[in-house]
Structure formats: C-alpha cells, structure tokens
Amino acid sequence: MKSEVIDREDVRTIKLSGKITIGAGDVTMRELIHAAIDDGKKKILIDLGDVKAVDSSGIGELVAAYTTVAKNGGRLALVHLSPKINDILQVTQLVTVFDIFDDEASALASFS
Amino acid sequence: MPDTKPVNAAISITSRFENIELAERVVHDLMVSAGIGEEEIAPVIRALWEGIANAIRHGNGGDPDRRVEIEATVSPALVRVTITDQGAGFDVAAVPDPTAAENLLKPSGRGIFIMRQLMDRVEFSNLSGGGTVLLLERRLGTTQEREHHEV
Ligand SMILES: Nc1ncnc2c1ncn2[C@@H]1O[C@H](COP(=O)(O)OP(=O)(O)O)[C@@H](O)[C@H]1O
Ligand SMILES: [Mg+2]
C-alpha cells in the first residue's frame, strides 16, 4: 500500500493505492491515522480509487481507522470504492457503518 | 472445448506472507491451463489468499520454519484446493459471526466469512498428528446462475 496526503482546509484526504492486504505494508493505515490525529485533524477522507486489492485484514484496518477516528471525536469517510470493495463492504455489512461517497465533491461537502 | 481430464498442482511454502503470491500464481496458471476464465479464477484466488494467510498466521503462528502445503485440482466442473498447515487446529464452530452487531466494529474475524461467500465448500479438519487442513471447493461454469453478491 502507498499513500498520499492532501489537506484542504480542515479535511485531510488520504489517497491510498496498491494492495491493502496482510503483509503489504510500506505504510500502515494505523500510522496514517495516528499522524492525522496528531496533526489535529478531525475530518478524514480515505480515497480508495487506486486500491487494487483488499483482503479481510485490509477491511479490518479500515474498521480500526474508523473506530480510532471516532474515539478521538472525529469523522472518517470513504470515497471512490471499486465495485469489488463495495461488494466486500456489502457482504460484511460494513456499508451500514461507513460513510461512503461516490465522488470527492460530495464527500468534502459532507464535512462542512 | 477444455480438456475434461482433471489437472493438478502442488506447492509448499514457508510461512511468509509474501509467499502467498507464489501459491496464487500456481493456482491461477493451473486454472488458466484448464481453460477457466479470469472471472471464475478471481474468487478462488481471493479465498486461497485468506486461507493461506490464516495458515501462516494462526496455524503456523508466523514461524517461518513451518510450512504450508497447497494442492489444487481443477476439472471442468469443479476447482478443489486444500491448504495444510502445521498448527494446533481450532474449532471453526466457535468462530463468531463477524456481521453480528457486537462484532461489526472488530478489526478482525472476517476471513472465514469471506471465504464462505466466495466458495461452495469451506471445511476445516484437524489432523490427529497436528495440523489443519482447509478444503475449499467452487463449482465452475455456473457464473451465470449465481445471484448472490460476490466479494
Ligand atoms: N489454520 C488455522 N489454524 C488455527 N486457527 C485458525 C486457522 N484459520 C482460522 N483460525 C481461527 O479462526 C479465527 C477466524 O479466522 P478469520 O475469519 O480468518 O479471521 P482473522 O484471521 O481476522 O482472525 C482466527 O482468529 C483463528 O482463531
Ligand atoms: Mg484471517
């Protein structure tokens, strides 16, 4: 997994790419989320548009990111889900947990 | 017409997550050689990934000296994969449902559930001398009939 961080006003977008799978950690989601919290960010958008594969442990990392942000009084949303990632969140019933957006503009608008 | 004789392959890997890709390639290429299309290969590879990750992590406890054996057989109507580790085994019936409200926010526990979505048969057996065998099967040539969501 690789990542790119973009701050717009008070929203931090974390753009992930590559594989979010067990043992595929050049960067970890944990580190990215902790860095965001340390930087005082409470609005976090994870862009999954360039993610090629996610396994159950990658899904687990997303859930952990969500709960960590919520515990720190913030909000985490997801944007640009591939049909595969969308299906995996459907069957695991996590669509009921995550705030999911099709495009960046509506995701950003939801934070303001 | 694909050949009707089953084809098979086996690979033995040490317990490192990067080795999962080696097994992936073997099973992928075996299915291609049997004339199976990518859309039917993909779910098998995803289940294989979860099964081997568990064998390495939970079965072999990440001990790189312990091995995971993978065997695959592909016939026109069925793909069967077995994944054998050198762990202590476990009671699959005791694994909680990850979609239950109290488990929804847990950071783990979704691998076996996902394998069951992808495959027609997911069975664990604990070997008497130690080790766990995971049997995965998926019928082939039925993509059109499948209506449930595939992860
Ligand atoms: N090969 C195995 N050997 C021993 N225990 C296993 C094995 N595979 C799975 N398990 C047990 O089943 C549980 C659920 O596995 P899984 O659904 O893949 O979730 P996770 O891997 O995230 O814990 C594991 O936590 C582990 O206790
Ligand atoms: Mg697992």
Side-chain angles (χ1 to χ4, degrees):
Chain A
M1 179 177 90
K2 298 209 182 308
S3 67
E4 192 188 327
V5 171
I6 305 140
D7 287 332
R8 279 193 211 79
E9 319 253 326
D10 52 351
V11 181
R12 169 157 301 183
T13 301
I14 302 172
K15 206 169 164 12
L16 300 177
S17 54
K19 291 182 167 188
I20 317 180
T21 54
I22 199 162
D26 333 15
V27 274
T28 69
M29 195 104 67
R30 237 180 86 94
E31 288 163 358
L32 291 163
I33 295 301
H34 282 284
I37 289 167
D38 288 347
D39 291 348
K41 301 294 175 186
K42 298 225 180 280
K43 301 172 178 178
I44 298 170
L45 179 61
I46 298 194
D47 186 336
L48 297 169
D50 290 332
V51 172
K52 298 281 167 282
V54 184
D55 65 0
S56 68
S57 73
I59 295 298
E61 286 185 62
L62 285 173
V63 173
Y66 172 87
T67 54
T68 305
V69 171
K71 270 188 205 129
N72 283 276
R75 189 163 83 83
L76 179 138
L78 305 179
V79 69
H80 294 147
L81 275 62
S82 69
K84 264 195 183 142
I85 297 178
N86 194 62
D87 275 359
I88 203 169
L89 294 183
Q90 287 280 352
V91 298
T92 54
Q93 296 184 23
L94 289 167
V95 279
T96 61
V97 169
F98 288 110
D99 271 334
I100 298 170
F101 297 91
D102 289 337
D103 61 90
E104 202 163 6
S106 42
L108 292 173
S110 80
F111 281 113
S112 54
Chain B
M1 261 311 272
D3 200 338
T4 50
K5 248 176 56 190
V7 291
N8 48 68
I11 178 173
S12 171
I13 60 171
T14 56
S15 293
R16 297 181 183 284
F17 292 122
E18 56 268 34
N19 288 341
I20 304 177
E21 283 176 23
L22 300 175
E24 240 185 52
R25 233 171 289 157
V26 168
V27 175
H28 175 271
D29 292 356
L30 181 71
M31 291 185 78
V32 168
S33 78
I36 313 298
E38 294 294 339
E39 72 288 352
E40 285 197 294
I41 297 176
V44 176
I45 296 299
R46 292 163 73 83
L48 177 78
W49 179 279
E50 295 290 342
I52 301 176
N54 280 354
I56 290 175
R57 200 223 229 149
H58 305 300
N60 291 348
D63 176 353
D65 292 335
R66 294 195 191 185
R67 304 189 77 88
V68 180
E69 319 284 337
I70 298 104
E71 283 184 47
T73 305
V74 185
S75 58
L78 188 80
V79 54
R80 171 181 296 141
V81 180
T82 59
I83 299 166
T84 306
D85 63 49
Q86 302 182 310
F90 72 111
D91 178 13
V92 68
V95 173
D97 175 4
T99 64
E102 70 272 20
N103 298 326
L104 218 45
L105 291 180
K106 290 196 178 155
S108 63
R110 297 180 180 85
I112 295 172
F113 177 85
I114 288 172
M115 284 190 260
R116 289 193 171 127
Q117 302 296 317
L118 295 165
M119 304 298 282
D120 296 308
R121 198 169 163 198
V122 176
E123 274 173 29
F124 291 89
S125 36
N126 300 321
L127 300 174
S128 53
T132 302
V133 184
L134 166 59
L135 171 70
L136 299 171
E137 282 183 6
R138 184 176 155 109
R139 293 190 308 277
L140 298 171
T142 58
T143 309
Q144 303 311 315
E145 298 161 29
R146 288 172 193 267
E147 279 182 11
H148 62 276
H149 263 274
E150 298 237 318
V151 296

